[in-house]
């Protein structure tokens, strides 16, 4: 609310420069909030934080939730390639070029067909999860890590690393329990799956 008022005053000759500096600080702060929330969620179980906007479940049965609701729209449910591309980009945080993605996901496609497949797949992914989901930078495509999201595979790995780095048995146990909590699929026990 205040940001809108400040923007109205940003052209004022007397206070415009100060207002613009303040608007820049607000913008930088807003970009830091999402990564800070993700880091805090990893470190605490006592402080209640707002749930992430995007919840990505890759362990067990894959499922994507936006604002706590499972995404079921046709642009997502009927687009296996869009789901594959999402998990592919999550698996490659360093980003990949269109050609690298094409070789890995659609190795039998001709260059002309790949161009259409890729464009359509990115389109459907962005329609389902938002335009800012896929970022293009320096000829590479990335999953936007600045989004407010939780990806269970990353969280699982982070908890395993935390367990491995501590020598306190109780802390190690808590991290391992938290890691197991991210897995939502069937567990294999003696005698079969549960």
């Amino acid at each position: 609310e205040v940001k809108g008022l400040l923007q109205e005053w940003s052209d004022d000759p007397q206070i415009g420069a100060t207002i613009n500096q303040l608007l820049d600080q607000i913008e930088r702060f807003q970009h830091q909030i999402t990564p800070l929330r993700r880091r805090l969620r990893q470190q605490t179980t006592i402080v209640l934080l707002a749930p992430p906007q995007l919840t990505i479940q890759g362990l067990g049965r894959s499922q994507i939730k936006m604002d706590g609701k499972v995404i079921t729209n046709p642009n997502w449910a009927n687009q296996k390639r869009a789901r594959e591309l999402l998990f592919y980009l999550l698996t490659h945080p360093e980003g990949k070029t269109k050609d690298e993605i094409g070789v890995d996901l659609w190795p039998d496609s001709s260059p002309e067909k790949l161009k259409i497949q890729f464009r359509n797949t990115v389109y459907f992914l962005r329609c389902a999860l938002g335009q800012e989901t896929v970022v293009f930078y320096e000829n590479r495509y990335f999953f936007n890590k600045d989004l407010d999201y939780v990806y269970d595979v990353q969280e699982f790995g982070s908890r395993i690393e935390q367990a491995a780095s501590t020598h306190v048995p109780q802390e190690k146990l808590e991290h391992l329990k938290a890691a197991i909590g991210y897995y939502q699929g069937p567990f294999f026990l003696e005698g079969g799956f549960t």
Side-chain angles (χ1 to χ4, degrees), residues 142-157:
F142 300 84
F143 173 79
N144 186 354
K145 293 179 273 189
D146 290 335
L147 294 175
D148 185 14
Y149 78 100
V150 169
Y151 179 35
D152 62 354
V153 173
Q154 289 174 345
E155 298 299 319
F156 179 85

Side-chain angles (χ1 to χ4, degrees), residues 9-186:
W9 297 334
S10 65
D11 293 332
D12 184 286
Q14 293 179 336
I15 60 171
T18 304
I19 295 293
N20 284 322
Q21 286 177 344
L22 184 57
L23 285 169
D24 287 343
Q25 288 176 341
I26 290 170
E27 190 70 28
R28 284 194 303 273
F29 177 73
Q30 286 177 324
H31 286 290
Q32 293 173 353
I33 290 173
T34 300
L36 181 59
R37 271 193 202 132
R38 280 200 316 272
R39 281 184 268 150
L40 283 172
R41 277 190 203 102
Q42 293 174 358
Q43 301 300 319
T44 184
T45 57
I46 298 170
V47 178
L48 296 176
L49 296 172
Q53 180 184 10
L54 184 63
T55 304
I56 305 166
Q57 183 179 324
L59 296 172
R61 186 175 143 237
S62 349
Q63 189 176 73
I64 312 296
K65 293 180 182 178
M66 183 74 72
D67 295 324
K69 296 179 181 134
V70 176
I71 296 177
T72 59
N73 71 43
N75 285 339
W76 184 250
N78 298 329
Q79 292 298 322
K80 178 182 175 190
R81 287 187 173 160
R83 294 189 305 272
E84 289 172 347
L85 180 59
L86 171 67
F87 287 106
Y88 180 88
L89 292 174
L90 285 164
T91 304
H92 298 282
E94 74 282 3
K96 291 286 186 171
T97 66
K98 178 172 58 172
D99 292 334
E100 291 171 330
I101 294 169
V103 167
D104 290 341
L105 295 183
W106 306 294
D108 298 329
S109 293
S110 67
E112 297 80 28
K113 188 175 180 181
L114 173 62
K115 183 177 179 180
I116 294 167
Q117 287 174 310
F118 185 78
R119 183 181 62 225
N120 289 342
T121 301
V122 170
Y123 170 81
F124 284 118
L125 179 55
R126 286 177 170 160
C127 282
L129 302 182
Q131 292 298 311
E132 67 283 352
T133 303
V134 177
V135 177
F136 182 71
Y137 178 70
E138 294 185 354
N139 206 32
R140 299 175 85 73
Y141 290 85
F142 300 84
F143 173 79
N144 186 354
K145 293 179 273 189
D146 290 335
L147 294 175
D148 185 14
Y149 78 100
V150 169
Y151 179 35
D152 62 354
V153 173
Q154 289 174 345
E155 298 299 319
F156 179 85
S158 175
R159 290 299 187 152
I160 295 297
E161 287 175 11
Q162 290 170 340
S165 68
T166 185
H167 299 292
V168 179
Q170 185 60 36
E171 286 179 20
K172 187 179 291 282
L173 181 61
E174 287 176 23
H175 288 303
L176 291 173
K177 282 181 180 179
I180 290 171
Y182 284 106
Y183 186 81
Q184 302 296 316

